[in-house]
Amino acid sequence: MAGQADNRAPYAKIAAHYTELISTGQLQPGVLLPSIKNLAEEWKVSTATAEKALRKLRNEGLVRGIHGIGTEVLDQPAPMSSGSQRQDRGRRTGSSWGDGERSDSHQAAVVPAPAEVAQALDIQPGADVVRRSRVYRDRHGIVAHSTSWIPARYGKLIPQLAESERLSGGTSLQLIAEATGHPISHRIDTASASLLTPEHAQLLELDVDNLPAAPVVVMTAKFVDSEGNTVEYGVDLGGPGRTWRTESEVS
């Protein structure tokens, strides 16, 4: 917000500055950051503060220190986002995509609700639901396969929810809130690890005969409106090597 004071510690401001440059691609992998001495002079801080800023970037996996050379920007897959994080991002920026992400393979259909989905949406197993799926990618490959399950009554209210195209006019949650007049009031998130199954492999476009041994991240998000109705249940399956990452201030 314009005019709002930035009360972060100096080292955190420096780290945030370089995090932004790295995440937006303004600093490419392999580029060396300024030395501790040069950082201290540029930001008018002590060398201890400059070193702490670089340490924060190293701890976050954005850079690495090379003895005798300096601090190098790393190239690695970005962490996956949960449905809730994409909702937050869309509200802040107007786009639910992460840096460098795109989505494709948009599919939609009205199908019978599986037992897990029916329980999450508080409907009868086998009742009609809209299933929307898409794949999020960046330059490293698949970030996540994402499926949204929506009660069929919202599909009747908003026909494009059941069409196999990228939504126009907002996200599914935004469209439902606008159509019903009931904003999304809260959400319930879960995160777990799962060994890859043949079904997972197909969704993530992997070779079923050569699956990675490491588990993948599975995240769910249940969205509830101001009237207490569960309007969407999302399941995100992370691509191999992807992690889930959040950050918050600790006072």
Side-chain angles (χ1 to χ4, degrees):
M1 182 181 297
Q4 183 175 359
D6 187 344
N7 296 319
R8 290 175 297 180
Y11 84 91
K13 295 179 184 179
I14 299 171
H17 171 76
Y18 283 100
T19 297
E20 176 71 13
L21 294 181
I22 293 169
S23 65
T24 58
Q26 296 177 65
L27 285 178
Q28 293 293 311
V31 170
L32 295 178
L33 298 189
S35 67
I36 290 175
K37 179 182 177 182
N38 288 342
L39 271 181
E41 292 175 351
E42 178 183 351
W43 288 82
K44 296 180 173 56
V45 296
S46 68
T47 54
T49 295
E51 198 283 329
K52 190 174 182 181
L54 292 180
R55 188 187 315 134
K56 187 176 192 300
L57 294 172
R58 290 197 300 271
N59 290 341
E60 293 177 355
L62 297 174
V63 302
R64 66 170 178 168
I66 304 176
H67 182 68
I69 297 178
T71 301
E72 179 188 42
V73 175
L74 289 176
D75 183 22
Q76 62 180 18
M80 67 174 289
S81 300
S82 67
S84 298
Q85 287 170 313
R86 288 199 296 272
Q87 182 198 24
D88 290 339
R89 187 187 297 140
R91 187 167 53 242
R92 292 194 313 269
T93 69
S95 172
S96 63
W97 298 337
D99 295 317
E101 278 186 4
R102 66 186 189 281
S103 67
D104 58 30
S105 305
H106 291 256
Q107 298 291 328
V110 177
V111 299
E116 174 195 356
V117 172
Q119 182 177 6
L121 294 176
D122 194 24
I123 60 177
Q124 290 295 318
D128 283 349
V129 290
V130 176
R131 181 186 63 204
R132 294 190 56 82
S133 64
R134 81 290 292 166
V135 175
Y136 290 93
R137 307 178 194 267
D138 63 12
R139 68 179 184 276
H140 293 278
I142 290 182
V143 178
H145 181 281
S146 181
T147 305
S148 300
W149 302 88
I150 303 167
R153 64 181 180 275
Y154 298 115
K156 295 176 181 177
L157 190 62
I158 310 163
Q160 71 162 315
L161 290 178
E163 298 173 359
S164 295
E165 297 178 357
R166 183 177 293 133
L167 294 175
S168 61
T171 65
S172 55
L173 293 170
Q174 290 169 332
L175 293 173
I176 291 171
E178 290 173 2
T180 62
H182 304 314
I184 306 302
S185 61
H186 66 284
R187 68 204 185 200
I188 301 167
D189 300 300
T190 71
S192 61
S194 174
L195 294 178
L196 277 166
T197 66
E199 180 184 4
H200 291 165
Q202 182 178 9
L203 295 176
L204 296 173
E205 302 171 10
L206 299 174
D207 180 1
V208 294
D209 296 322
N210 188 28
L211 296 180
V216 293
V217 180
V218 180
M219 308 200 61
T220 72
K222 185 164 73 169
F223 297 91
V224 182
D225 70 14
S226 57
E227 298 297 299
N229 301 306
T230 300
V231 302
E232 185 172 313
Y233 175 62
V235 181
D236 290 288
L237 177 65
R242 303 287 175 164
T243 58
W244 178 56
R245 177 176 176 270
T246 63
E247 181 177 349
S248 58
E249 296 291 331
V250 178
S251 58

